[in-house]
Amino acid sequence: MKFGGTSVADIDRLNRVAARLIERAKSGDDVVAVVSAMGKVTDDLIEQAQQISPSPSKRELDMLLSTGEQVTIALLAMAIQAQGYDAISFTGSQVGIVTDAVYSKAKIVRIDAACVLAALTQKKIVVVAGFQGRTVDGQITTLGRGGSDTTAVALAAGIKADSCEIYSDVTGVFSADPRIAPKAHKIDYISYEEMLEMAASGAGVLSMRSVEFARNYDVVIHCRSSFAPPDQMGTIVKGEDPSMEDAVVSAVTHDTGEAKITIRGVPDRPGIAATVFDTLGQNNVNVDMIIQNVSDAGLTDISFTAPEADISAVSSALEVCLKDIGARTWNIDKDIAKVSIVGAGMKTHPGITARMFKTLADEGINIDLISTSPIRVSCIIAADQAEGAVRALHTAFDLDFEE
Ligand code: ADP
Ligand code: ASP
Ligand code: MG
């Protein structure tokens, strides 16, 4: 059972989470809780670090951010004990969550979890810090924003749990972010493939890495609300089965956390794109969309998008390689948003892309970049038009909730 930041935002909520865990343990289940930092603690810690330096050491940043979750596990274990049940807390390092050494977005390579299993046999509720692990050398790492979801799924796989429940402040996965699309409806079942595309295109309700893990290890995720009654079903994320209806479009997502980088005057010859994107890759920049314009007099422009959080890594990478390749200039545009439609049925239905473009055109929205996968179409538009675009697409693809 994983509880995110809003579910453990204060002592009162921690006590309620404790009661919920105890109720489940009393029903006969072995219970492991994975928790996030309380409320906005992670954001506050990042803010403090940035007051000291705009680009603090990544090792020290991970050292700092991992403290957020460590506070929650200790308090939650105390809350469970205060309500009369036995509990023990562990950091990611203590439960043997071993990661690679890429600070701030480390990948889990192995989970030992022997201490979790041992504590469960002693009938304790085990409380584990999400979002963190350690390298083989014992350095503390974090798994990237939203990483507690990944801890929960990875741990569920590691201990072969019967179920993996992810609790947040929404009752499940919706056809669009309910905060901006009031007519969004809850989805009962969704396949890993669709959920992966949704998470990758901005549906923050589950982190992308967690869905990838779930798919690779066949962990069924039950995404539900910590504020709803325990018998209320949320959304089940699982492998596709023939009874699942392939909706043409299941969801509309948006992401305002990316930036567009344009490199101008790039010599148009073999190997240039390889050099640029190889350098970006070595700097651990997650490049998303890429577009290269038709060349004019042997020079071309290359645009790509990357998370805003990776901007300083983009800058260092480009400073190095642009001189080598002889490009003229580059610039960053942060005022962009990506809106996407996702649906497994898209594979077999022509005309979906055209309907998306027409809907955006009718709203007076200009499309800057486009990318597609077999079950997703994404457009880069101006950031201030994102919410209107989501609502218009939600209506155009018949997703609006009917009372
Ligand atoms: P937690 O802090 O518990 O991990 P998050 O804030 O990460 O929770 O995720 C829940 C939030 O995800 C919701 O409040 C909602 O605004 C947002 N969200 C974005 N897209 C969707 C979607 N398609 N369905 C449900 N929630 C979504
Ligand atoms: N506390 C971390 C974050 O805010 C991890 C998580 O909540 O999943 O990103
Ligand atoms: Mg989250």
Side-chain angles (χ1 to χ4, degrees), residues 80-362:
I80 296 168
Q81 291 160 357
Q83 291 181 38
Y85 210 93
D86 207 0
I88 184 166
S89 69
F90 294 116
T91 61
S93 171
Q94 283 177 309
V95 290
I97 296 180
V98 180
T99 71
D100 63 19
V102 183
Y103 293 114
S104 89
K105 45 177 137 171
K107 282 205 167 88
I108 298 176
V109 293
R110 184 173 84 233
I111 294 191
D112 173 12
C115 66
V116 173
L117 294 170
L120 286 176
T121 60
Q122 296 164 0
K123 290 290 157 210
K124 292 183 201 290
I125 293 177
V126 181
V127 183
V128 177
F131 176 59
Q132 52 178 263
R134 67 166 163 82
T135 65
V136 274
D137 306 334
Q139 304 298 320
I140 304 276
T141 52
T142 67
L143 310 178
R145 299 307 305 267
S148 298
D149 296 339
T150 314
T151 306
V153 176
L155 201 53
I159 62 171
K160 302 196 170 51
D162 295 320
S163 73
C164 176
E165 302 180 356
I166 296 199
Y167 290 80
S168 70
D169 57 355
V170 275
T171 53
V173 177
F174 280 67
S175 53
D177 186 343
R179 276 188 222 197
I180 68 157
K183 291 184 180 158
H185 67 270
K186 181 171 74 71
I187 300 170
D188 293 333
Y189 293 93
I190 190 157
S191 67
Y192 293 131
E193 300 310 323
E194 283 179 300
M195 192 63 231
L196 203 53
E197 291 284 6
M198 284 181 70
S201 59
V205 61
L206 286 175
S207 80
M208 184 170 92
R209 209 65 87 50
S210 72
V211 186
E212 220 166 34
F213 228 101
R215 181 193 58 186
N216 294 350
Y217 292 88
D218 226 356
V219 177
V220 174
I221 300 177
H222 185 181
C223 191
R224 53 199 311 202
S225 165
S226 55
F227 304 102
D231 57 352
Q232 188 178 313
M233 282 296 287
T235 300
I236 303 290
V237 187
K238 60 176 192 173
E240 221 166 324
D241 75 45
S243 69
M244 284 163 90
E245 200 187 330
D246 272 357
V248 178
V249 171
S250 302
V252 181
T253 58
H254 71 291
D255 187 352
T256 49
E258 295 211 341
K260 183 179 80 168
I261 298 96
T262 303
I263 311 172
R264 294 186 198 286
V266 183
D268 196 7
R269 47 183 160 75
I272 296 289
T275 306
V276 173
F277 292 100
D278 183 43
T279 317
L280 289 165
Q282 281 174 25
N283 282 263
N284 292 304
V285 175
N286 280 323
V287 172
D288 184 19
M289 294 186 187
I290 302 173
I291 192 163
Q292 176 169 342
N293 290 337
V294 188
S295 82
D296 182 15
L299 293 179
T300 183
D301 294 346
I302 299 178
S303 294
F304 62 92
T305 61
E308 276 185 36
D310 285 356
I311 288 303
S312 66
V314 169
S315 305
S316 0
L318 293 186
E319 293 303 336
V320 175
C321 72
L322 288 200
K323 276 191 221 87
D324 294 348
I325 63 171
R328 280 196 194 133
T329 56
W330 62 283
N331 72 290
I332 298 177
D333 181 1
K334 291 188 187 165
D335 290 326
I336 58 148
K338 181 169 67 175
V339 288
S340 311
I341 53 172
V342 174
M346 216 180 267
K347 281 182 279 199
T348 47
H349 281 77
I352 298 300
T353 312
R355 203 193 314 172
M356 178 178 194
F357 297 165
K358 169 124 191 8
T359 306
L360 294 177
D362 289 347

Side-chain angles (χ1 to χ4, degrees), residues 1 3 7-8 11-25 31 33 35 75-83 85 87 125 127:
M1 297 167 76
F3 294 87
S7 306
V8 294
I11 299 300
D12 192 41
R13 288 185 181 179
L14 270 177
N15 278 327
R16 271 188 274 165
V17 168
R20 193 160 198 151
L21 294 167
I22 293 172
E23 191 183 297
R24 184 62 78 81
V31 179
V35 286
L75 290 175
L76 182 58
M78 289 175 200
I80 296 168
Q81 291 160 357
Q83 291 181 38
Y85 210 93
I125 293 177
V127 183

